[in-house]
Amino acid sequence: MHQRVASIVFASIVAAALLCGACATPTPEVPMSAPAAAAPAPVAVDAGVVSHVDVVGGTIAIEDHGGDGPLVLAVPGFGDLRSEYRFFAATLQDAGYRVVTMDLRGHGDSYANFARYEADDAADDVVAVLRHLDGGKAIVVGTSFGAAAVTAAAANAPDHTDRVVVFGPFVRDVELSMPMTLLVKVLFAGPWKTAAWVAYFDSLFPTTKPADHAARLAALKQNLGEPGRFDAVRAMMFAGRSRTAPLLSKVQAPVLVVMGSKDPDFKDPAGEAAAITALLTSTTTTT
């Protein structure tokens, strides 16, 4: 539901937007997969310094990739790892930013057995990480479920957020498409759930796959097979946005909304992007 950030196309879009000081909510129609010839060969960011931040009920794993420029904190979607941003982080590092990625609660190297997995809990985690980093106002980036976390964090902690970027954002309660409804109700409930999720993940790359795609699938399968990990994924699948969606109109920071025009998670991706934009108070411009 969220891995399209792995596309170098998205990283390039956001890097350009941040460099030009984008202060808007444009919603460009970005294809889920660009022709191979149209995208430069991605180079993943080098491994950073991994540490843990104490939050209510457990700890959150973060990876600081370094850099002396403005802070960028990137939050993945549920069912994925912070390595989702490996190409994105490298692009922004090259542009002069300090990049930190984090695992959602219950995911990756974060504590595996939190009591709650609501979007507002993830938002509180984002704020806790920003305060821990003490890097001034940061650019917060979120994908899918992570988008709900960063927008709510921006509303709750405006003194810690400078700009917001969201990819394929699930920031409000919307009716799932029929394929997604079937996936949630059937594929992710039985002993086959981890294999089903990895197969779904793989399906999000119908044409061009990253060079490290097989290794990514293996790492994701291993992590989600650990005790408690898929419980977190399933909880976030059913988590509502009743406490975070109302915060969209309170976000003071400029927001960039990026939605794939063929995003399978939404019946009408362009319409959903437009609806989200309408809920935001930022001035809209075209870049």
Side-chain angles (χ1 to χ4, degrees):
M1 297 178 181
H2 47 278
Q3 290 81 4
R4 72 277 300 159
V5 169
S7 167
I8 192 65
V9 176
F10 286 155
S12 299
I13 288 174
V14 175
L18 296 180
L19 284 171
C20 71
C23 58
T25 57
T27 56
E29 289 198 356
V30 182
M32 287 293 290
S33 297
V43 177
V45 70
D46 292 334
V49 177
V50 178
S51 60
H52 288 79
V53 178
D54 290 331
V55 298
V56 176
T59 61
I60 297 296
I62 65 172
E63 186 169 359
D64 193 337
H65 299 281
D68 298 324
L71 174 64
V72 178
L73 176 64
V75 184
F78 69 72
D80 203 353
L81 312 174
R82 63 182 185 272
S83 56
E84 172 183 324
Y85 289 104
R86 63 204 183 282
F87 303 134
F88 177 93
T91 300
L92 292 185
Q93 268 195 323
D94 288 345
Y97 291 87
R98 174 193 177 192
V99 183
V100 177
T101 55
M102 63 177 272
D103 285 318
L104 286 170
R105 52 175 51 204
H107 292 64
D109 293 316
S110 292
Y111 180 67
N113 297 292
F114 281 86
R116 287 171 42 94
Y117 292 98
E118 299 295 321
D120 57 320
D121 299 312
D124 290 342
D125 295 341
V126 172
V127 173
V129 169
L130 289 172
R131 288 174 175 162
H132 170 81
L133 292 171
D134 194 24
K137 284 194 170 186
I139 300 161
V140 290
V141 180
T143 310
S144 190
F145 183 90
V150 300
T151 51
N156 290 332
D159 53 327
H160 288 286
T161 50
D162 179 55
R163 280 168 279 175
V164 182
V165 181
V166 291
F167 295 108
F170 265 107
V171 295
R172 63 189 191 125
D173 290 322
V174 297
E175 183 181 358
L176 292 177
S177 64
M178 182 59 70
M180 288 310 306
T181 300
L182 291 175
L183 283 172
V184 170
K185 290 185 176 181
V186 179
L187 293 183
F188 304 137
W192 53 80
K193 56 186 180 292
T194 299
W197 181 264
V198 173
Y200 168 70
F201 182 103
D202 185 46
S203 75
L204 295 176
F205 302 83
T207 56
T208 304
K209 301 182 188 297
D212 63 350
H213 188 63
R216 275 269 289 157
L217 291 180
L220 185 61
K221 183 177 181 179
Q222 178 180 351
N223 186 257
L224 293 181
E226 295 175 358
R229 298 295 183 199
F230 210 91
D231 292 337
V233 175
R234 189 163 44 242
M236 289 180 179
M237 285 182 189
F238 294 99
R241 307 292 189 272
S242 62
R243 289 190 290 270
T244 54
L247 297 175
L248 289 172
S249 62
K250 299 181 180 180
V251 177
Q252 300 176 22
V255 182
L256 174 65
V257 180
V258 181
M259 180 74 79
S261 61
K262 297 182 180 180
D263 192 322
D265 295 344
F266 301 96
K267 288 184 176 180
D268 179 11
E272 179 62 18
I276 293 170
T277 300
L279 294 172
L280 295 161
T281 57
S282 299
T283 302
T284 301
T285 62
T286 303
T287 58

